[in-house]
């Protein structure tokens, strides 16, 4: 059974959806970008219903200024209060839950990591956002990956030799790669990997062909981060294909299980 609830956050009214189930481990989903709580292609609403059928209560919500919720949309960087209010609302709506796992995709994953405040028993972070771009081009790591693919494709050479390639974009991409070879981490990357170092049981899910995921993987290599990672073979940032959805659900189900105790 799904029901809609409202709850307060710093003087504003937020709305959330609870997919009820009897289990004591619950999943709280944070929406990415400016998406409402149902997610891209209703993906998060569908996921919530499927997990509830497996006895996991699921809570989704619209942060301030998004969807049904009042207030100003301050973006993922200012969503800490929203996340904490959602945790409290989830506990009130499902009092049997004694273990909460958080899940977010893209900047929602980054928001969850930066603002979780110790309120979650585990974090599931899909395609975490670490490389804000202001030049209209994909992250350098994604450009490098794309160029490597094209170099192996004979058709790409034909397009290059016959004028079928936009040389302006090509040179812009090459220039960006040349400018971003430095191993230094950006301010956001530094924050993200410092938080990950404090969160050893976080699970990272990456879409193998997604630009945001490629940027994270590149930053992780530069940061020396080798945490718990699951890779799904898809270019879809939102795991839109049916096979992607099944793989994502399985990865989340695995992460919902309590961590095995360390041998001592």
């Amino acid at each position: 059974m799904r029901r809609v609830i409202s709850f307060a956050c710093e003087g504003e009214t937020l709305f959330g959806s609870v997919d009820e189930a009897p289990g004591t481990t619950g999943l709280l989903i944070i929406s990415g970008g400016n998406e409402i709580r149902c997610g891209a292609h209703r993906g998060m609403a569908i996921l919530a219903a499927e997990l509830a059928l497996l006895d996991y209560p699921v809570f989704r919500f619209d942060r301030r200024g998004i969807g049904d919720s009042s207030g100003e949309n301050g973006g993922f960087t200012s969503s800490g209060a929203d996340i904490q209010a959602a945790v409290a609302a989830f506990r009130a709506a499902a009092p049997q839950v004694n273990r909460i796992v958080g899940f977010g995709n893209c900047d929602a994953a980054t928001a969850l990591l930066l603002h979780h405040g110790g309120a979650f028993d585990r974090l599931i972070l899909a395609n975490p956002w670490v490389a804000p771009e202001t030049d209209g081009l994909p992250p350098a790591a994604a450009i490098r990956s794309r160029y490597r693919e094209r170099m192996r494709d004979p058709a790409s050479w034909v397009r290059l030799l016959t004028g079928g390639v936009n040389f302006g974009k090509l040179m812009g991409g090459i220039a960006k790669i040349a400018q971003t070879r430095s191993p230094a981490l950006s301010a956001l990357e530094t924050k993200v990997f410092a938080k990950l170092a404090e969160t050893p049981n976080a699970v990272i899910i990456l879409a193998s062909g997604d630009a945001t995921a490629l940027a994270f993987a590149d930053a992780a290599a530069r940061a020396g981060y080798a945490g718990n990672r699951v890779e799904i073979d898809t270019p879809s940032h939102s795991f839109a294909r049916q096979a992607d959805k099944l793989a994502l659900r399985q990865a989340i189900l695995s992460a919902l299980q309590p961590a095995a105790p360390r041998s001592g």
Side-chain angles (χ1 to χ4, degrees):
M1 178 179 174
R2 176 174 295 167
R3 60 189 174 99
V4 175
I5 66 169
S6 62
F7 56 101
C9 177
E10 297 191 341
E12 303 295 343
T13 301
L14 276 55
F15 283 83
S17 299
V18 184
D19 282 73
E20 297 179 321
T24 57
T25 293
L27 183 71
L28 195 157
I29 298 177
I30 314 295
S31 293
N34 293 321
E35 289 177 357
I36 59 176
R37 60 185 182 268
C38 66
H41 321 291
R42 296 189 68 250
M44 297 301 101
I46 294 169
L47 175 65
E50 292 174 342
L51 293 177
L53 288 174
L54 298 174
D55 290 343
Y56 293 102
V58 182
F59 187 75
R60 298 169 290 114
F61 70 101
D62 295 334
R63 72 166 186 258
R64 283 171 290 178
I66 297 293
D68 295 324
S69 297
S70 68
E72 182 178 348
N73 178 8
F76 78 96
T77 57
S78 63
S79 61
D82 307 68
I83 293 171
Q84 296 305 316
V87 170
F90 190 14
R91 290 194 181 280
Q96 84 281 8
V97 168
N98 56 31
R99 183 171 176 269
I100 296 181
V101 176
F103 167 62
N105 185 26
C106 194
D107 63 15
T110 304
L112 186 55
L113 177 65
L114 297 181
H115 304 305
H116 66 80
F120 296 87
D121 294 272
R122 173 170 281 181
L123 303 181
I124 307 172
L125 311 173
N127 305 321
W129 178 260
V130 295
E133 302 298 331
T134 58
D135 55 11
L137 292 172
I143 296 174
R144 286 196 294 271
S145 176
R146 183 60 175 157
Y147 283 1
R148 282 195 295 268
E149 289 179 8
R150 289 183 175 180
M151 291 290 287
R152 293 193 291 265
D153 181 5
S156 294
W157 289 99
V158 172
R159 287 195 298 272
L160 178 64
L161 295 173
T162 58
V165 172
N166 185 320
F167 276 92
K169 288 185 177 180
L170 175 62
M171 296 310 295
I174 292 173
K176 182 163 185 176
I177 292 172
Q179 293 168 3
T180 55
R181 280 295 188 179
S182 169
L185 297 175
S186 70
L188 178 58
E189 289 169 341
T190 299
K191 289 181 182 179
V192 165
F193 290 104
K195 282 289 188 179
L196 281 171
E198 301 170 1
T199 317
N201 69 342
V203 177
I204 309 295
I205 301 176
L206 299 180
S208 62
D210 171 59
T212 303
L214 289 167
F216 176 86
D218 177 73
R222 288 185 283 115
Y225 174 75
N228 186 1
R229 184 184 304 186
V230 176
E231 188 168 296
I232 295 176
D233 183 17
T234 179
S236 174
H237 180 70
S238 60
F239 306 96
R241 303 181 307 187
Q242 185 60 29
D244 304 342
K245 293 176 183 177
L246 292 173
L248 177 64
R249 185 179 67 183
Q250 185 54 52
I252 290 174
L253 282 170
S254 296
L256 284 168
Q257 305 305 311
R262 296 181 180 179
S263 58

